[in-house]
């Protein structure tokens, strides 16, 4: 109904946070997403349901392997509406990241928050509209990337 599920992963070495963005989900893809993430990172990911009236969600997982922030968006294209949902979820991801480091939102920290949101939106909006899917080769690449960052 929205095409194939796409998963993007980045590790932020500055804050030691692992960001995962999954988008273009079909009705049953949340269970599949949880399985793929569990396989990729060796830790159980419980993925909540998305209500019909929601466009996505942001969830944080404080795991032995570090902080993982999962952003799930039902549909993500180059449209202004979809990009605004990405920016919305990137705000929540930034909130989880910075609060985990004791950085509260205030006059002195607004630029820190703004730069983090800008970075996430820029990285995760790259290649929108291009066809790519996660497969076993991509999962192996993510595992290698994750292991290399945590050595």
């Amino acid at each position: 109904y929205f095409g194939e599920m796409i998963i993007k992963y980045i590790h932020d070495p500055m804050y030691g946070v692992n960001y995962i963005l999954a988008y273009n989900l079909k009705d049953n893809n949340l269970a599949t997403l949880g399985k793929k993430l569990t396989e990729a990172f060796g830790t159980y990911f419980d993925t909540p349901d998305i209500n019909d009236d929601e466009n996505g969600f942001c969830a944080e997982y404080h795991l032995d392997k570090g902080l993982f922030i999962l952003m799930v968006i039902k549909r993500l294209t180059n449209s202004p509406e979809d990009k605004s949902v990405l920016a919305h979820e990137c705000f929540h991801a930034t909130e989880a990241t910075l609060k985990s480091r004791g950085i509260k939102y205030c006059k002195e920290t607004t630029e820190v928050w703004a730069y983090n949101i800008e970075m996430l939106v820029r990285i995760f909006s790259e290649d929108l509209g291009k066809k790519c899917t996660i497969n076993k080769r991509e999962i192996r690449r993510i595992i290698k990337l994750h292991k290399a960052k945590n050595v």
Side-chain angles (χ1 to χ4, degrees):
Y1 117 107
F2 291 128
E4 296 188 55
M5 177 173 54
I6 297 171
I7 300 172
K8 293 185 176 185
Y9 166 80
I10 61 167
H11 174 77
D12 181 352
M14 181 184 300
Y15 296 112
V17 175
N18 302 284
Y19 296 101
I20 302 165
L21 171 66
Y23 59 94
N24 293 349
L25 287 114
K26 296 180 183 176
D27 290 336
N28 62 351
N29 275 55
L30 281 174
T32 302
L33 173 62
K35 285 174 152 179
K36 287 184 180 199
L37 295 177
T38 299
E39 181 182 336
F41 296 104
T43 304
Y44 178 68
F45 279 81
D46 180 27
T47 52
D49 290 331
I50 301 179
N51 297 327
D52 289 339
D53 60 339
E54 293 178 316
N55 292 317
F57 67 84
C58 182
E60 55 187 283
Y61 300 87
H62 297 269
L63 306 172
D64 294 341
K65 298 179 179 188
L67 176 59
F68 285 78
I69 298 176
L70 172 64
M71 293 178 286
V72 175
I73 300 175
K74 283 184 181 176
R75 180 185 68 201
L76 187 55
T77 66
N78 272 322
S79 76
E81 294 83 9
D82 290 348
K83 284 185 177 179
S84 69
V85 174
L86 174 63
H88 175 100
E89 298 307 335
C90 287
F91 171 83
H92 291 303
T94 294
E95 179 181 37
T97 298
L98 297 181
K99 285 188 174 183
S100 77
R101 297 293 182 210
I103 303 171
K104 296 179 181 178
Y105 185 82
C106 64
K107 183 179 177 182
E108 293 78 22
T109 63
T110 57
E111 284 301 307
V112 174
W113 283 65
Y115 283 127
N116 202 76
I117 294 167
E118 177 186 345
M119 175 207 55
L120 292 174
V121 170
R122 185 176 3 93
I123 289 172
F124 284 130
S125 63
E126 289 174 0
D127 302 325
L128 281 181
K130 291 185 180 176
K131 181 178 170 81
C132 64
T133 59
I134 191 162
N135 54 35
K136 288 183 180 179
R137 184 180 318 160
E138 181 67 6
I139 289 173
R140 284 193 295 273
R141 185 190 71 76
I142 289 171
I143 292 169
K144 284 181 186 176
L145 224 153
H146 178 69
K147 286 180 180 174
K149 306 270 186 208
N150 290 308
V151 171

